[in-house]
Amino acid sequence: MQRSLEGQIALVTGASSGIGAGVAQSLADAGAKVAINYHSHAEPAEKLAAEITANGGDAFAVAADVSDEHETDAMFDAVVKRYGTVDIVVANSGLQKDARFTELTLDDWRRVIDTNLTGQFLTAQRAVREFQRRGPRPVSKALGKIICMSSVHEIIPWAGHVNYASSKGGIQMMMKSLAQEVAPLRIRVNSIAPGAIRTPINKDAWDTQEALDRLLTLVPYGRVGEVEDIGRAAVWLASDDSDYVIGTTLCVDGGMTLYPGFADNG
Ligand code: BGC
């Protein structure tokens, strides 16, 4: 793999499993030092950091609930203490608490909005402040890069997941508004909208043949995504190869957002 992020420092939130872990691995493979944030599961985050380090990279695990501003501050403090600053911030932490609308509790509405949307707000805000504090670095044309992990559900409505879809719809406008505000500072903000990626969050959708067959009717490209698909997109968005890309959502979804139901209908 091309080491397009050599000398850069990255922070990935929610990186103890799933897409976050895959993104952390890909950024490390591209030469970045990586801070691996986790909320409740230290062990897999520590293990990933140890693996990256054993393979000649540099990584460490850092705890924080990104919906809490003090913990988010402490996370950035830990990264700055360890690596001096940060160049690439991937606001990835996210969860699902699915329920039919009439059964959706206020607690589960709030938990999902707090982590998925407010968490990205706090993470991005601290990132902008840190980029401004330390000023330009020779490692990149941009002052800093922020990547918001969205979802195809920033576009596709999702019955039974109103809290989740609302959080991702919110991320879309947060990302674009922020991108517009900080582009003059040479900070690039973009999103990735993953489709169905093989991770624990959607295991029920792919772990039996029947579920997989049903899922693949929604994916024109005919396969489930892998975390490396998202990792490679994150490396590109974080590197100077995408230096003129600002405020864009990159769908990495095998065509899920192309309304495959219309292929021979409508
Ligand atoms: C969700 C997954 C789902 C995928 C496609 C993602 O944002 O987290 O559970 O499989 O969107 O629907």
Side-chain angles (χ1 to χ4, degrees):
M1 127 111 62
Q2 207 195 327
R3 291 175 66 85
S4 55
L5 303 179
E6 199 72 68
Q8 299 200 47
I9 296 147
L11 164 65
V12 185
T13 67
S16 58
S17 72
I19 287 175
V23 166
Q25 180 69 62
S26 294
L27 297 178
D29 290 344
K33 294 177 182 173
V34 188
I36 297 168
N37 160 254
Y38 65 93
H39 178 204
S40 34
H41 299 109
E43 202 187 297
E46 306 275 7
K47 189 163 169 269
L48 178 58
E51 277 166 17
I52 290 172
T53 308
N55 286 321
D58 190 338
F60 78 107
V62 55
D65 173 351
V66 293
S67 70
D68 179 300
E69 64 178 328
H70 303 294
E71 293 194 26
T72 305
D73 280 337
M75 171 177 72
F76 274 83
D77 288 348
V79 177
V80 171
K81 188 163 177 241
R82 175 85 171 222
Y83 291 140
T85 187
V86 64
D87 304 291
I88 300 156
V89 172
V90 184
N92 169 79
S93 295
L95 48 89
Q96 286 182 221
K97 290 276 166 197
D98 310 330
R100 305 311 302 177
F101 189 67
T102 49
E103 313 300 321
L104 181 55
T105 63
L106 181 57
D107 269 1
D108 282 352
W109 168 267
R110 283 194 174 132
R111 268 202 70 193
V112 169
I113 298 292
D114 281 359
T115 299
N116 297 16
L117 184 56
T118 308
Q120 291 209 10
F121 154 64
L122 290 172
T123 300
Q125 187 182 59
R126 270 55 183 182
V128 171
R129 288 179 185 165
E130 173 54 22
F131 300 155
Q132 289 191 281
R133 182 196 68 80
R134 59 108 167 105
R137 296 208 322 134
V139 290
S140 176
K141 290 179 182 163
L143 186 69
K145 283 86 52 157
I146 297 170
I147 299 170
C148 297
M149 201 55 70
S150 185
S151 163
V152 291
H153 298 296
E154 73 167 45
I155 300 166
I156 304 174
W158 207 13
H161 308 74
V162 169
N163 47 358
Y164 184 84
S166 301
S167 73
K168 298 299 183 178
I171 286 168
Q172 185 190 57
M173 283 312 282
M174 184 190 74
M175 181 280 287
K176 289 187 191 208
S177 304
L178 172 59
Q180 189 189 63
E181 185 165 331
V182 300
L185 305 173
R186 299 190 65 79
I187 296 172
R188 296 197 297 110
V189 189
N190 291 286
S191 289
I192 297 173
I197 308 301
R198 194 190 309 275
T199 68
I201 207 172
N202 60 358
K203 194 164 182 289
D204 291 350
W206 50 260
D207 75 340
T208 64
Q209 192 58 48
E210 200 195 336
L212 183 65
D213 290 345
R214 207 166 346 114
L215 176 62
L216 291 182
T217 64
L218 302 174
V219 187
Y221 204 53
R223 71 168 172 87
V224 175
E226 305 297 338
V227 294
E228 293 77 14
D229 291 307
I230 307 303
R232 281 187 290 268
V235 167
W236 182 71
L237 279 178
S239 77
D240 282 355
D241 292 343
S242 61
D243 189 54
Y244 208 50
V245 179
I246 313 274
T248 287
T249 298
L250 181 57
C251 291
V252 183
D253 67 348
M256 195 176 235
T257 41
L258 298 176
Y259 299 96
F262 280 76
D264 51 16
N265 206 342

